[in-house]
Amino acid sequence: MLKVLLVDDEAPILNNLNRVLPWQEMGMEVVGMARSGMDALRIAEEKQPDLVLCDIRMPVMDGLTFIGKLREMGLDSEVLLLTGYQEFDYAREAIRLGVKEYICKPIHYEELGNKVREIGAKIRSKQFKNKLYNSIPIFQEIPEGEDDSGKKTPDQLMNQAAKYITEHLHSDIGIEEVANKIGISGSYFCLLFKNRFAMTFVEYVTLQRIEAAKFMLTNSDKSITMIGSGVGYQERRYFTKVFQKQTGMSPKEYRDRCRTEVQ
C-alpha cells in the first residue's frame, strides 16, 4: 500500500479528501492528516509518505515552504498541489521543488481521483525502476586530483542535474553545459541520466518545459507567447507545435479545457 499524507488548513476539505476518495481500492492508505505545514512535517518525518496532497495557501507555513522543508529532510515524496494561485513565481518554485501535478480549487473529486491513480502508477513504476537501478553497480569517475572521499553518488549527481535543468528551463541548455556544471564527462552524464530517468536528456527537458507550461496555462493569465518564452521557446509557433505533440492539443485548447473544468 502506498502511504498518503493529506495537508489542508480547511477541515471540511481535509475530511472530504480522506472520505470521498476510495483509497484502499487505489492501493493506498492515508497515514496522516494535517492542517498546517508544521504538523505535516512532523507526520512526514515519522510516516515517510509516498504521496502528499497539499494546499498551496496555509497560515504560518504555506504549501511551498512545507515542500521545501520536505526536500531538505531528504524525502522525495510525490506531491499533488491543491492550488488557486495564479502567479508564475509559484509555478517556477513548485517545479523547482519537484511538483509536477496540481489540481485547481474548487476540487472536482472525480478528476482528483483520476489524477491520484495516475500518480500512484508513476510512483510504483519509479519504485520498481529504483530497485532495478540500485541493483546495478555504477561507479563514478573521479576527477584528477580528487580522492574517493569526495565523490558523489549517481543519485546525488542526477538530483543536482535535475535542479539545474529546472532552474534554466527558460534558456538553451545542453548536455555538455549540465555535465560540466556537475563535474562529469558528457558520455558519463548520458549514461547516468538514462539510467535514472529512463529517457534521453532532450526528452526530459521537453517534458519539464511542457509541465511548466501546463502549470502556467492553468494558473496564470499570461499570454501564450510569454509562457512559451518563459520555458525556453522563443517562437510561439514552435512552442505550439511541441506542446501539441506532447499533449494532443494546442496551448489555447489546453487552457480553455482547464478553465471549463474549473467552472
Side-chain angles (χ1 to χ4, degrees):
M1 299 282 279
L2 297 180
K3 295 180 289 185
V4 180
L5 171 60
L6 307 177
V7 189
D8 198 298
D9 65 315
E10 297 183 51
I13 292 180
L14 197 61
N15 291 330
N16 282 342
L17 288 173
N18 183 42
R19 187 177 64 253
V20 174
L21 295 185
W23 294 108
Q24 188 169 7
E25 178 187 314
M26 295 189 292
M28 301 181 186
E29 176 188 7
V30 175
V31 295
M33 297 193 295
R35 294 186 60 186
S36 73
M38 294 299 295
D39 288 342
L41 278 179
R42 287 191 287 269
I43 296 172
E45 185 174 15
E46 178 186 354
K47 300 296 186 179
Q48 306 274 304
D50 300 296
L51 171 63
V52 178
L53 274 65
C54 179
D55 187 15
I56 196 172
R57 182 166 58 179
M58 295 183 291
V60 184
M61 180 187 291
D62 66 22
L64 294 183
T65 303
F66 159 67
I67 297 166
K69 297 290 185 183
L70 198 69
R71 299 305 182 222
E72 289 175 10
M73 289 166 56
L75 296 179
D76 62 351
S77 314
E78 291 293 329
V79 177
L80 175 56
L81 207 57
L82 310 176
T83 174
Y85 272 28
Q86 297 187 359
E87 293 294 333
F88 172 73
D89 288 343
Y90 282 94
R92 184 192 294 274
E93 179 66 9
I95 293 163
R96 187 186 73 78
L97 294 169
V99 179
K100 301 183 182 68
E101 305 289 353
Y102 44 89
I103 288 285
C104 291
K105 290 185 173 181
I107 298 171
H108 294 265
Y109 287 96
E110 183 177 354
E111 178 190 358
L112 177 61
N114 291 336
K115 181 70 74 174
V116 168
R117 287 184 179 88
E118 179 184 323
I119 297 173
K122 290 180 181 178
I123 294 173
R124 291 182 177 92
S125 176
K126 180 181 176 181
Q127 290 175 344
F128 174 77
K129 288 177 181 177
N130 284 344
K131 286 180 182 178
L132 183 63
Y133 175 65
N134 290 330
S135 69
I136 303 173
I138 300 178
F139 302 94
Q140 182 190 344
E141 296 174 340
I142 307 301
E144 187 175 349
E146 179 179 317
D147 62 30
D148 61 2
S149 65
K151 72 177 184 178
K152 295 179 180 178
T153 67
D155 276 345
Q156 289 174 324
L157 288 169
M158 291 300 97
N159 287 342
Q160 192 177 347
K163 182 176 183 293
Y164 184 84
I165 291 169
T166 298
E167 293 174 348
H168 294 79
L169 288 177
H170 61 283
S171 61
D172 185 16
I173 52 177
I175 291 173
E176 292 300 327
E177 175 185 343
V178 183
N180 289 337
K181 182 67 179 179
I182 63 176
I184 61 177
S185 68
S187 58
Y188 185 59
F189 174 86
C190 289
L191 172 64
L192 292 186
F193 198 91
K194 191 67 179 290
N195 279 335
R196 170 64 180 273
F197 298 106
M199 63 181 73
T200 67
F201 175 80
V202 172
E203 289 170 340
Y204 179 86
V205 172
T206 300
L207 178 63
Q208 297 306 306
R209 283 175 168 161
I210 297 305
E211 288 299 324
K214 285 163 65 177
F215 190 103
M216 286 183 281
L217 286 166
T218 304
N219 295 279
S220 82
D221 293 322
K222 292 182 179 292
S223 71
I224 291 173
T225 299
M226 290 180 65
I227 290 173
S229 177
V231 296
Y233 299 104
Q234 302 308 318
E235 296 182 9
R236 173 168 171 161
R237 182 181 299 177
Y238 184 60
F239 170 54
T240 298
K241 180 180 179 181
V242 175
F243 190 94
Q244 192 155 20
K245 182 178 180 181
Q246 293 291 319
T247 67
M249 63 188 79
S250 69
K252 183 179 185 305
E253 289 170 339
Y254 182 84
R255 170 175 270 173
D256 291 344
R257 190 196 71 172
C258 289
R259 288 180 174 175
T260 299
E261 289 177 350
V262 169
Q263 291 175 357

